[in-house]
Amino acid sequence: MPDLPSADLGAPSRQDAEGVMMRWMQPLVIEGEVRTCPECDVYRDWIVFCLRDDSVWLRCPAGHQVQEPHLDAAWFNRNSGPVDHWHPTLEDGLRHLGH
Ligand SMILES: [Zn+2]
């Protein structure tokens, strides 16, 4: 029997991905407040990343990225639905999402 790593409970392909992401078109409300980009004040059409360390990042349409400490992988999974695409790099995922 091959000695397979058993600790990872996620989808096997996640091991190859830098993270997962989704497009978030509507205003993003966190703890009752609409999140805005600290750089350009945009409040919608985010790309939301969930990286392998379970941190969640927001990317505005202008390309500013900011970590969102109030969100985590559990939140992402509740809101993203089934992930149908895994991307080897964030750039590849952004192209897929049209950003
Ligand atoms: Zn911005």
Coordinates of all heavy atoms in Angstrom, one line a residue:
M1 N 0.8 -1.2 0.0 CA 0.0 0.0 0.0 C 0.9 1.2 0.0 O 1.8 1.4 0.8 CB -0.9 0.0 1.3 CG -2.0 -1.0 1.2 SD -3.3 -0.6 0.0 CE -4.1 0.8 0.8
P2 N 0.6 2.2 -0.9 CA 1.3 3.4 -0.8 C 1.0 4.2 0.4 O -0.1 4.1 1.0 CB 0.8 4.2 -2.1 CG -0.5 3.6 -2.4 CD -0.5 2.2 -1.9
D3 N 2.0 4.9 0.9 CA 1.8 5.7 2.1 C 1.2 7.1 1.8 O 1.9 8.0 1.6 CB 3.2 5.8 2.8 CG 3.0 6.4 4.2 OD1 1.9 6.4 4.8 OD2 4.0 6.9 4.7
L4 N -0.1 7.1 1.7 CA -0.7 8.4 1.4 C -0.9 9.3 2.6 O -1.2 8.8 3.7 CB -2.1 8.1 0.8 CG -2.1 7.3 -0.6 CD1 -3.6 7.0 -0.9 CD2 -1.5 8.1 -1.6
P5 N -0.7 10.6 2.4 CA -1.0 11.5 3.5 C -2.5 11.5 3.8 O -3.3 11.5 2.9 CB -0.6 12.9 3.0 CG -0.5 12.7 1.5 CD -0.3 11.3 1.2
S6 N -2.9 11.5 5.0 CA -4.3 11.3 5.4 C -4.8 12.6 6.1 O -6.0 12.6 6.4 CB -4.5 10.1 6.2 OG -3.7 10.2 7.4
A7 N -4.0 13.5 6.4 CA -4.4 14.6 7.2 C -5.3 15.6 6.4 O -6.2 16.3 7.0 CB -3.2 15.4 7.7
D8 N -5.2 15.7 5.1 CA -6.0 16.6 4.4 C -7.4 16.1 4.1 O -7.6 15.1 3.5 CB -5.3 16.9 3.1 CG -6.0 18.0 2.3 OD1 -6.0 19.2 2.8 OD2 -6.6 17.7 1.3
L9 N -8.3 16.9 4.7 CA -9.7 16.4 4.5 C -10.4 17.1 3.3 O -11.6 16.8 3.0 CB -10.5 16.8 5.8 CG -10.0 16.1 7.1 CD1 -10.7 16.5 8.3 CD2 -10.0 14.6 6.9
G10 N -9.8 18.1 2.7 CA -10.4 18.8 1.6 C -10.3 18.0 0.3 O -9.9 16.8 0.3
A11 N -10.8 18.6 -0.7 CA -10.7 18.0 -2.0 C -9.2 17.8 -2.4 O -8.4 18.7 -2.1 CB -11.4 18.8 -3.1
P12 N -8.9 16.7 -3.0 CA -7.4 16.4 -3.3 C -6.8 17.5 -4.1 O -5.7 17.9 -3.9 CB -7.5 15.1 -4.0 CG -8.7 14.4 -3.6 CD -9.7 15.6 -3.3
S13 N -7.6 18.1 -5.0 CA -7.0 19.1 -5.9 C -6.6 20.4 -5.2 O -5.9 21.1 -5.7 CB -8.0 19.4 -7.1 OG -9.2 19.8 -6.5
R14 N -7.2 20.5 -4.0 CA -6.9 21.8 -3.3 C -5.4 21.8 -2.9 O -4.9 22.9 -2.7 CB -7.7 21.9 -2.0 CG -7.5 23.2 -1.3 CD -8.6 23.4 -0.3 NE -8.4 24.8 0.3 CZ -9.2 25.3 1.2 NH1 -10.3 24.7 1.6 NH2 -8.9 26.5 1.7
Q15 N -4.8 20.7 -2.8 CA -3.4 20.7 -2.5 C -2.5 21.4 -3.5 O -1.5 21.9 -3.2 CB -2.9 19.3 -2.3 CG -3.5 18.5 -1.1 CD -3.1 17.1 -1.0 OE1 -2.2 16.7 -1.8 NE2 -3.6 16.4 -0.1
D16 N -3.0 21.4 -4.7 CA -2.3 22.0 -5.8 C -2.6 23.5 -6.0 O -2.0 24.1 -6.8 CB -2.5 21.2 -7.1 CG -2.1 19.8 -7.0 OD1 -1.1 19.5 -6.3 OD2 -2.8 19.0 -7.6
A17 N -3.7 23.9 -5.4 CA -4.2 25.3 -5.6 C -3.6 26.2 -4.5 O -3.4 25.9 -3.4 CB -5.7 25.3 -5.6
E18 N -3.4 27.4 -5.0 CA -2.9 28.5 -4.0 C -4.1 28.9 -3.1 O -3.9 29.3 -2.0 CB -2.4 29.7 -4.8 CG -1.2 30.3 -4.2 CD -0.7 31.4 -5.1 OE1 -0.7 31.2 -6.3 OE2 -0.4 32.5 -4.6
G19 N -5.3 28.7 -3.7 CA -6.5 29.1 -2.9 C -7.7 29.0 -3.8 O -7.6 28.6 -5.0
V20 N -8.8 29.3 -3.2 CA -10.0 29.3 -4.0 C -10.6 30.8 -4.0 O -10.3 31.6 -3.2 CB -11.1 28.3 -3.5 CG1 -10.6 26.9 -3.8 CG2 -11.4 28.5 -2.1
M21 N -11.5 31.0 -4.9 CA -12.0 32.4 -5.0 C -13.4 32.4 -5.6 O -13.8 31.4 -6.3 CB -11.1 33.3 -5.9 CG -11.0 32.8 -7.3 SD -9.7 33.7 -8.2 CE -8.3 32.8 -7.5
M22 N -14.1 33.4 -5.4 CA -15.4 33.6 -6.0 C -15.6 35.1 -6.3 O -15.0 35.9 -5.7 CB -16.5 33.1 -5.1 CG -16.6 33.8 -3.7 SD -18.0 33.3 -2.8 CE -17.6 34.0 -1.1
R23 N -16.5 35.3 -7.2 CA -16.9 36.7 -7.5 C -18.1 37.1 -6.6 O -19.0 36.3 -6.4 CB -17.2 36.8 -9.0 CG -17.2 38.3 -9.4 CD -17.1 38.4 -10.9 NE -16.9 39.8 -11.2 CZ -16.7 40.3 -12.5 NH1 -16.7 39.4 -13.5 NH2 -16.5 41.5 -12.8
W24 N -18.0 38.3 -6.1 CA -19.1 38.7 -5.1 C -19.6 40.0 -5.7 O -19.0 41.1 -5.4 CB -18.5 38.8 -3.7 CG -19.5 39.1 -2.7 CD1 -20.1 40.3 -2.4 CD2 -20.1 38.1 -1.8 NE1 -21.0 40.1 -1.3 CE2 -21.0 38.8 -1.0 CE3 -19.9 36.7 -1.6 CZ2 -21.7 38.2 0.0 CZ3 -20.6 36.1 -0.6 CH2 -21.5 36.8 0.2
M25 N -20.7 40.0 -6.4 CA -21.2 41.2 -7.1 C -21.9 42.2 -6.2 O -21.8 43.4 -6.4 CB -22.1 40.7 -8.2 CG -21.5 39.9 -9.3 SD -20.2 40.8 -10.2 CE -21.2 42.1 -11.0
Q26 N -22.6 41.7 -5.2 CA -23.4 42.6 -4.3 C -22.5 43.2 -3.3 O -21.4 42.7 -3.0 CB -24.6 41.8 -3.7 CG -24.3 40.7 -2.7 CD -24.1 39.4 -3.4 OE1 -23.5 39.2 -4.4 NE2 -24.6 38.4 -2.7
P27 N -23.0 44.3 -2.6 CA -22.3 44.8 -1.5 C -22.0 43.7 -0.4 O -22.8 42.9 -0.2 CB -23.2 45.9 -0.9 CG -24.0 46.3 -2.1 CD -24.2 45.0 -2.9
L28 N -20.8 43.7 0.1 CA -20.4 42.7 1.1 C -20.5 43.3 2.5 O -19.9 44.2 2.9 CB -18.9 42.4 0.8 CG -18.3 41.3 1.7 CD1 -19.1 40.0 1.6 CD2 -16.8 41.1 1.4
V29 N -21.5 42.7 3.2 CA -21.8 43.2 4.5 C -21.2 42.2 5.6 O -21.4 41.0 5.6 CB -23.4 43.2 4.7 CG1 -23.7 43.7 6.2 CG2 -24.0 44.1 3.7
I30 N -20.3 42.8 6.4 CA -19.6 42.1 7.4 C -20.0 42.7 8.8 O -19.7 43.9 9.0 CB -18.1 42.1 7.2 CG1 -17.8 41.4 5.8 CG2 -17.4 41.3 8.3 CD1 -16.4 41.6 5.4
E31 N -20.5 41.9 9.7 CA -20.9 42.4 11.0 C -21.7 43.7 10.9 O -21.5 44.7 11.6 CB -19.7 42.6 11.8 CG -19.0 41.3 12.1 CD -17.8 41.5 13.1 OE1 -17.3 42.6 13.2 OE2 -17.5 40.4 13.8
G32 N -22.7 43.8 9.9 CA -23.6 44.9 9.8 C -23.1 46.1 9.1 O -23.8 47.1 8.9
E33 N -21.8 46.0 8.6 CA -21.3 47.1 7.8 C -20.9 46.7 6.4 O -20.3 45.6 6.2 CB -20.0 47.7 8.5 CG -20.4 48.3 9.9 CD -19.1 49.0 10.4 OE1 -18.2 49.3 9.7 OE2 -19.1 49.3 11.7
V34 N -21.1 47.6 5.5 CA -20.7 47.3 4.1 C -19.2 47.6 4.0 O -18.7 48.7 4.3 CB -21.5 48.2 3.1 CG1 -21.0 48.0 1.7 CG2 -23.0 47.9 3.2
R35 N -18.5 46.6 3.5 CA -17.0 46.7 3.4 C -16.7 47.6 2.1 O -17.3 47.4 1.1 CB -16.4 45.3 3.1 CG -15.9 44.7 4.3 CD -14.7 45.5 4.9 NE -14.4 45.0 6.3 CZ -15.0 45.4 7.4 NH1 -15.9 46.4 7.3 NH2 -14.6 44.9 8.5
T36 N -15.9 48.5 2.3 CA -15.4 49.3 1.2 C -13.9 49.1 1.0 O -13.2 48.8 2.0 CB -15.7 50.8 1.4 OG1 -15.1 51.2 2.6 CG2 -17.2 51.0 1.4
C37 N -13.4 49.3 -0.2 CA -12.0 49.2 -0.4 C -11.3 50.4 0.3 O -11.7 51.5 0.1 CB -11.7 49.2 -1.9 SG -9.9 49.2 -2.3
P38 N -10.2 50.1 1.1 CA -9.6 51.2 1.7 C -8.8 52.2 0.8 O -8.5 53.3 1.1 CB -8.6 50.5 2.7 CG -8.4 49.2 2.1 CD -9.7 48.8 1.4
E39 N -8.6 51.7 -0.5 CA -7.9 52.5 -1.4 C -8.8 53.3 -2.3 O -8.5 54.5 -2.6 CB -7.1 51.6 -2.4 CG -6.0 50.7 -1.6 CD -4.8 51.5 -1.3 OE1 -4.6 52.5 -2.0 OE2 -4.0 51.0 -0.5
C40 N -9.9 52.7 -2.7 CA -10.7 53.5 -3.7 C -12.2 53.5 -3.4 O -13.0 53.9 -4.2 CB -10.5 52.9 -5.1 SG -11.1 51.2 -5.3
D41 N -12.6 53.0 -2.2 CA -14.0 53.1 -1.7 C -15.0 52.4 -2.4 O -16.2 52.6 -2.3 CB -14.4 54.6 -1.6 CG -13.8 55.3 -0.4 OD1 -13.3 54.6 0.5 OD2 -13.7 56.5 -0.4
V42 N -14.6 51.5 -3.3 CA -15.6 50.7 -4.0 C -16.2 49.7 -3.0 O -15.6 49.3 -2.1 CB -14.9 49.9 -5.2 CG1 -14.1 48.7 -4.8 CG2 -16.0 49.5 -6.3
Y43 N -17.5 49.3 -3.2 CA -18.1 48.5 -2.2 C -18.7 47.2 -2.8 O -19.4 46.5 -2.1 CB -19.2 49.3 -1.5 CG -20.3 49.8 -2.3 CD1 -21.5 49.0 -2.4 CD2 -20.2 50.9 -3.0 CE1 -22.5 49.5 -3.2 CE2 -21.2 51.4 -3.8 CZ -22.4 50.6 -3.9 OH -23.4 51.0 -4.7
R44 N -18.6 47.0 -4.1 CA -19.2 45.8 -4.7 C -18.3 45.3 -5.8 O -17.2 45.9 -6.1 CB -20.6 46.1 -5.2 CG -20.7 47.3 -6.1 CD -22.0 47.4 -6.8 NE -22.1 46.3 -7.7 CZ -23.2 45.9 -8.3 NH1 -24.3 46.4 -8.0 NH2 -23.2 44.9 -9.2
D45 N -18.7 44.1 -6.3 CA -17.9 43.5 -7.4 C -16.5 43.1 -6.9 O -15.5 43.4 -7.5 CB -17.8 44.4 -8.6 CG -17.3 43.5 -9.9 OD1 -17.3 42.3 -9.8 OD2 -17.0 44.2 -10.9
W46 N -16.5 42.4 -5.8 CA -15.2 41.9 -5.2 C -14.9 40.6 -5.8 O -15.8 39.8 -6.2 CB -15.4 41.7 -3.7 CG -15.7 42.9 -2.9 CD1 -16.9 43.3 -2.5 CD2 -14.8 43.8 -2.4 NE1 -16.8 44.4 -1.7 CE2 -15.5 44.8 -1.7 CE3 -13.4 44.0 -2.5 CZ2 -14.9 45.9 -1.0 CZ3 -12.8 45.1 -1.9 CH2 -13.6 46.0 -1.2
I47 N -13.6 40.3 -5.8 CA -13.2 38.9 -5.8 C -12.8 38.5 -4.4 O -12.1 39.2 -3.7 CB -12.0 38.7 -6.7 CG1 -12.4 39.0 -8.2 CG2 -11.5 37.2 -6.7 CD1 -13.4 38.1 -8.8
V48 N -13.4 37.4 -3.9 CA -13.1 37.0 -2.5 C -12.2 35.7 -2.6 O -12.6 34.8 -3.3 CB -14.4 36.6 -1.7 CG1 -14.0 36.3 -0.3 CG2 -15.4 37.8 -1.8
F49 N -11.1 35.8 -2.0 CA -10.1 34.7 -2.0 C -10.1 34.0 -0.7 O -10.3 34.6 0.4 CB -8.7 35.2 -2.1 CG -8.4 35.9 -3.4 CD1 -8.3 37.3 -3.4 CD2 -8.1 35.2 -4.6 CE1 -8.0 38.0 -4.5 CE2 -7.8 35.9 -5.7 CZ -7.8 37.3 -5.7
C50 N -10.0 32.7 -0.7 CA -9.7 31.9 0.5 C -8.4 31.2 0.3 O -8.4 30.3 -0.6 CB -10.9 31.0 0.8 SG -10.6 30.1 2.4
L51 N -7.4 31.5 1.0 CA -6.1 30.9 0.7 C -5.9 29.7 1.6 O -6.7 29.4 2.4 CB -5.0 31.9 1.0 CG -5.1 33.2 0.2 CD1 -3.9 34.1 0.4 CD2 -5.2 32.9 -1.3
R52 N -4.8 29.0 1.3 CA -4.6 27.7 1.9 C -4.4 27.8 3.4 O -4.5 26.8 4.2 CB -3.4 27.0 1.3 CG -3.8 26.3 0.0 CD -2.8 25.2 -0.3 NE -1.6 25.8 -0.8 CZ -0.6 25.1 -1.3 NH1 -0.7 23.8 -1.5 NH2 0.5 25.7 -1.7
D53 N -4.0 29.0 3.9 CA -3.9 29.2 5.4 C -5.2 29.6 6.0 O -5.2 30.0 7.1 CB -2.8 30.1 5.7 CG -3.1 31.5 5.2 OD1 -4.1 31.8 4.6 OD2 -2.2 32.4 5.4
D54 N -6.3 29.5 5.2 CA -7.6 29.8 5.6 C -7.9 31.3 5.9 O -8.9 31.7 6.4 CB -8.0 29.1 6.9 CG -8.3 27.6 6.7 OD1 -8.4 27.2 5.5 OD2 -8.4 26.9 7.6
S55 N -6.9 32.2 5.4 CA -7.2 33.6 5.5 C -8.1 34.0 4.3 O -8.0 33.3 3.2 CB -5.9 34.4 5.5 OG -5.2 34.2 4.3
V56 N -8.9 35.0 4.5 CA -9.8 35.5 3.4 C -9.3 36.9 3.0 O -9.1 37.7 3.9 CB -11.2 35.5 3.9 CG1 -12.1 36.2 2.9 CG2 -11.7 34.0 4.1
W57 N -9.2 37.1 1.7 CA -8.8 38.3 1.2 C -9.8 38.9 0.2 O -10.5 38.1 -0.4 CB -7.5 38.2 0.4 CG -6.3 37.9 1.3 CD1 -6.1 36.7 1.9 CD2 -5.2 38.7 1.6 NE1 -4.9 36.8 2.7 CE2 -4.4 38.0 2.5 CE3 -4.9 40.1 1.3 CZ2 -3.2 38.6 3.0 CZ3 -3.8 40.6 1.8 CH2 -2.9 39.9 2.7
L58 N -9.9 40.2 0.1 CA -10.8 40.8 -0.8 C -10.0 41.5 -1.9 O -9.0 42.2 -1.6 CB -11.7 41.8 -0.1 CG -12.5 41.3 1.1 CD1 -13.3 42.4 1.8 CD2 -13.5 40.2 0.7
R59 N -10.5 41.5 -3.1 CA -9.8 42.2 -4.2 C -10.9 43.0 -4.9 O -11.9 42.5 -5.4 CB -9.1 41.2 -5.1 CG -8.5 41.9 -6.3 CD -8.0 40.8 -7.3 NE -7.6 41.4 -8.6 CZ -6.3 41.6 -8.9 NH1 -5.3 41.2 -8.1 NH2 -6.0 42.1 -10.1
C60 N -10.7 44.3 -4.9 CA -11.6 45.2 -5.6 C -11.4 45.2 -7.1 O -10.4 44.7 -7.6 CB -11.5 46.6 -5.0 SG -10.2 47.6 -5.7
P61 N -12.4 45.8 -7.9 CA -12.2 45.8 -9.3 C -10.9 46.5 -9.8 O -10.5 46.2 -10.9 CB -13.5 46.5 -9.8 CG -14.5 46.3 -8.7 CD -13.7 46.3 -7.4
A62 N -10.4 47.4 -9.0 CA -9.2 48.1 -9.4 C -7.9 47.3 -9.0 O -6.8 47.7 -9.3 CB -9.1 49.5 -8.7
G63 N -8.1 46.1 -8.4 CA -7.0 45.3 -8.1 C -6.3 45.5 -6.7 O -5.3 44.9 -6.4
H64 N -6.9 46.3 -5.9 CA -6.4 46.4 -4.5 C -6.8 45.2 -3.7 O -8.0 44.7 -3.8 CB -7.0 47.7 -3.8 CG -6.8 48.9 -4.6 ND1 -7.8 49.7 -5.0 CD2 -5.7 49.4 -5.1 CE1 -7.3 50.7 -5.7 NE2 -6.0 50.6 -5.8
Q65 N -5.9 44.6 -2.9 CA -6.2 43.5 -2.1 C -6.0 43.8 -0.7 O -5.1 44.4 -0.3 CB -5.3 42.3 -2.5 CG -5.6 41.8 -3.9 CD -4.8 40.6 -4.4 OE1 -4.5 40.5 -5.6 NE2 -4.3 39.8 -3.4
V66 N -7.0 43.3 0.1 CA -6.9 43.6 1.6 C -7.4 42.3 2.3 O -8.4 41.7 1.9 CB -7.7 44.8 1.9 CG1 -9.2 44.7 1.5 CG2 -7.6 45.1 3.4
Q67 N -6.7 41.9 3.3 CA -7.2 40.8 4.1 C -8.4 41.2 4.9 O -8.4 42.3 5.5 CB -6.0 40.3 5.0 CG -6.4 39.0 5.7 CD -5.3 38.4 6.5 OE1 -4.2 39.0 6.6 NE2 -5.5 37.2 7.0
E68 N -9.3 40.3 5.1 CA -10.5 40.5 5.9 C -10.5 39.6 7.1 O -10.9 38.4 6.9 CB -11.8 40.3 5.0 CG -13.1 40.5 5.8 CD -13.0 41.8 6.6 OE1 -13.0 42.9 6.1 OE2 -13.0 41.6 7.9
P69 N -10.0 40.1 8.2 CA -9.9 39.2 9.4 C -11.2 38.7 9.9 O -11.2 37.7 10.7 CB -9.1 40.0 10.4 CG -9.4 41.4 10.0 CD -9.6 41.4 8.5
H70 N -12.3 39.3 9.6 CA -13.6 38.9 10.2 C -14.1 37.7 9.4 O -15.1 37.1 9.8 CB -14.6 40.0 10.1 CG -14.3 41.1 11.0 ND1 -13.7 42.3 10.6 CD2 -14.4 41.3 12.4 CE1 -13.5 43.1 11.6 NE2 -13.9 42.5 12.7
L71 N -13.5 37.3 8.3 CA -14.0 36.2 7.5 C -13.0 35.1 7.5 O -11.8 35.4 7.7 CB -14.3 36.6 6.1 CG -15.3 37.8 5.9 CD1 -15.4 38.1 4.4 CD2 -16.6 37.5 6.5
D72 N -13.4 33.9 7.4 CA -12.5 32.8 7.4 C -13.0 31.7 6.4 O -14.0 31.9 5.7 CB -12.3 32.2 8.8 CG -13.7 31.7 9.4 OD1 -14.7 31.6 8.6 OD2 -13.7 31.5 10.6
A73 N -12.3 30.6 6.4 CA -12.7 29.5 5.4 C -14.1 29.0 5.6 O -14.8 28.7 4.6 CB -11.7 28.4 5.5
A74 N -14.5 29.0 6.8 CA -15.9 28.5 7.1 C -16.9 29.4 6.5 O -17.9 29.0 5.9 CB -16.1 28.3 8.6
W75 N -16.7 30.7 6.6 CA -17.6 31.6 6.0 C -17.6 31.5 4.5 O -18.6 31.5 3.8 CB -17.2 33.1 6.4 CG -18.0 34.1 5.7 CD1 -19.2 34.7 6.1 CD2 -17.7 34.7 4.4 NE1 -19.6 35.6 5.2 CE2 -18.8 35.6 4.1 CE3 -16.7 34.5 3.5 CZ2 -18.8 36.4 2.9 CZ3 -16.8 35.3 2.3 CH2 -17.8 36.2 2.0
F76 N -16.4 31.4 4.0 CA -16.2 31.2 2.5 C -17.0 30.0 2.0 O -17.8 30.1 1.0 CB -14.8 31.1 2.1 CG -14.5 31.1 0.7 CD1 -14.2 32.3 0.0 CD2 -14.6 30.0 -0.1 CE1 -14.0 32.4 -1.4 CE2 -14.4 30.0 -1.5 CZ -14.1 31.2 -2.1
N77 N -16.8 28.9 2.7 CA -17.5 27.7 2.2 C -19.0 27.8 2.3 O -19.7 27.3 1.5 CB -17.0 26.5 3.1 CG -15.6 26.2 2.7 OD1 -15.1 26.4 1.6 ND2 -14.9 25.6 3.7
R78 N -19.5 28.5 3.3 CA -21.0 28.7 3.5 C -21.5 29.5 2.3 O -22.6 29.3 1.9 CB -21.3 29.4 4.8 CG -21.4 28.5 6.0 CD -22.2 29.2 7.1 NE -21.7 30.5 7.5 CZ -20.6 30.7 8.3 NH1 -20.0 29.7 8.8 NH2 -20.3 32.0 8.5
N79 N -20.7 30.4 1.9 CA -21.2 31.4 0.9 C -20.8 31.1 -0.6 O -21.4 31.7 -1.5 CB -20.7 32.8 1.3 CG -21.4 33.3 2.5 OD1 -22.6 33.8 2.4 ND2 -20.8 33.2 3.7
S80 N -19.9 30.3 -0.7 CA -19.4 30.1 -2.1 C -20.1 29.0 -2.9 O -20.1 29.0 -4.1 CB -17.9 29.8 -2.1 OG -17.7 28.5 -1.5
G81 N -20.8 28.1 -2.1 CA -21.4 27.0 -2.8 C -20.3 26.1 -3.3 O -19.1 26.2 -3.0
P82 N -20.7 25.1 -4.1 CA -19.7 24.1 -4.6 C -18.7 24.8 -5.4 O -19.0 25.7 -6.3 CB -20.5 23.1 -5.4 CG -22.0 23.4 -5.1 CD -22.0 24.8 -4.6
V83 N -17.4 24.5 -5.2 CA -16.4 25.1 -6.0 C -16.2 24.2 -7.3 O -15.9 23.0 -7.2 CB -15.1 25.1 -5.2 CG1 -13.9 25.6 -6.1 CG2 -15.2 26.0 -4.0
D84 N -16.4 24.8 -8.4 CA -16.3 24.0 -9.7 C -15.0 24.2 -10.4 O -14.7 23.5 -11.3 CB -17.5 24.4 -10.6 CG -17.5 25.8 -11.0 OD1 -16.8 26.6 -10.3 OD2 -18.2 26.2 -12.0
H85 N -14.2 25.2 -10.0 CA -13.0 25.4 -10.6 C -11.9 25.6 -9.6 O -12.0 26.3 -8.6 CB -13.0 26.6 -11.5 CG -13.7 26.4 -12.8 ND1 -15.1 26.7 -12.9 CD2 -13.4 26.0 -14.0 CE1 -15.5 26.4 -14.1 NE2 -14.5 26.0 -14.8
W86 N -10.8 24.9 -9.8 CA -9.6 25.1 -8.9 C -8.5 25.7 -9.8 O -8.4 25.3 -11.0 CB -9.1 23.8 -8.4 CG -10.1 23.1 -7.4 CD1 -11.1 22.3 -7.8 CD2 -10.2 23.3 -6.0 NE1 -11.8 22.0 -6.7 CE2 -11.3 22.5 -5.6 CE3 -9.4 24.0 -5.1 CZ2 -11.6 22.5 -4.2 CZ3 -9.8 24.0 -3.8 CH2 -10.9 23.2 -3.3
H87 N -7.8 26.6 -9.3 CA -6.9 27.3 -10.1 C -5.5 27.2 -9.5 O -5.3 27.4 -8.3 CB -7.3 28.8 -10.2 CG -8.6 29.0 -10.8 ND1 -8.9 28.8 -12.1 CD2 -9.8 29.3 -10.1 CE1 -10.2 29.0 -12.3 NE2 -10.8 29.3 -11.1
P88 N -4.5 26.9 -10.4 CA -3.2 26.7 -9.9 C -2.6 28.0 -9.4 O -1.7 28.0 -8.5 CB -2.4 26.2 -11.0 CG -3.2 26.5 -12.2 CD -4.6 26.6 -11.8
T89 N -3.0 29.1 -9.9 CA -2.5 30.4 -9.4 C -3.7 31.4 -9.3 O -4.7 31.2 -9.9 CB -1.5 31.0 -10.4 OG1 -2.2 31.4 -11.6 CG2 -0.4 30.1 -10.7
L90 N -3.5 32.4 -8.5 CA -4.5 33.4 -8.4 C -4.8 34.1 -9.7 O -5.9 34.5 -10.1 CB -4.2 34.4 -7.3 CG -4.0 33.9 -5.9 CD1 -3.7 35.0 -4.9 CD2 -5.2 33.1 -5.5
E91 N -3.7 34.3 -10.5 CA -3.9 35.0 -11.8 C -4.8 34.2 -12.7 O -5.6 34.8 -13.4 CB -2.5 35.3 -12.4 CG -1.7 36.3 -11.7 CD -1.1 35.8 -10.4 OE1 -1.0 34.6 -10.3 OE2 -0.7 36.6 -9.6
D92 N -4.6 32.9 -12.7 CA -5.4 32.1 -13.5 C -6.9 32.2 -13.1 O -7.8 32.2 -14.0 CB -4.9 30.6 -13.4 CG -5.7 29.7 -14.3 OD1 -5.7 29.8 -15.5 OD2 -6.4 28.8 -13.7
G93 N -7.1 32.2 -11.8 CA -8.5 32.3 -11.3 C -9.1 33.6 -11.7 O -10.3 33.7 -12.0
L94 N -8.3 34.7 -11.6 CA -8.8 36.0 -11.9 C -9.2 36.1 -13.4 O -10.3 36.7 -13.7 CB -7.8 37.1 -11.6 CG -7.6 37.4 -10.1 CD1 -6.4 38.3 -10.0 CD2 -8.8 38.0 -9.5
R95 N -8.4 35.5 -14.2 CA -8.8 35.5 -15.7 C -10.1 34.7 -15.8 O -11.0 35.1 -16.6 CB -7.7 34.8 -16.5 CG -6.6 35.7 -16.9 CD -5.7 35.2 -18.0 NE -5.1 33.9 -17.6 CZ -3.9 33.8 -17.0 NH1 -3.3 34.9 -16.6 NH2 -3.4 32.6 -16.6
H96 N -10.3 33.6 -15.1 CA -11.5 32.8 -15.2 C -12.7 33.6 -14.8 O -13.8 33.5 -15.4 CB -11.3 31.6 -14.4 CG -12.6 30.8 -14.3 ND1 -13.1 30.0 -15.3 CD2 -13.5 30.6 -13.3 CE1 -14.2 29.4 -14.9 NE2 -14.5 29.8 -13.7
L97 N -12.5 34.5 -13.8 CA -13.7 35.2 -13.3 C -13.8 36.5 -14.0 O -14.8 37.3 -13.7 CB -13.4 35.5 -11.8 CG -13.5 34.3 -10.9 CD1 -13.0 34.6 -9.5 CD2 -14.9 33.7 -10.8
G98 N -13.0 36.8 -14.9 CA -13.1 38.0 -15.7 C -12.6 39.3 -15.1 O -13.0 40.4 -15.5
H99 N -11.8 39.2 -14.1 CA -11.2 40.4 -13.5 C -9.9 40.8 -14.1 O -9.3 39.9 -14.7 CB -11.0 40.2 -12.0 CG -11.9 41.0 -11.1 ND1 -11.6 41.6 -10.0 CD2 -13.3 41.2 -11.2 CE1 -12.6 42.2 -9.5 NE2 -13.7 42.0 -10.2
Ligands
ZN1 ZN -9.8 49.4 -4.5

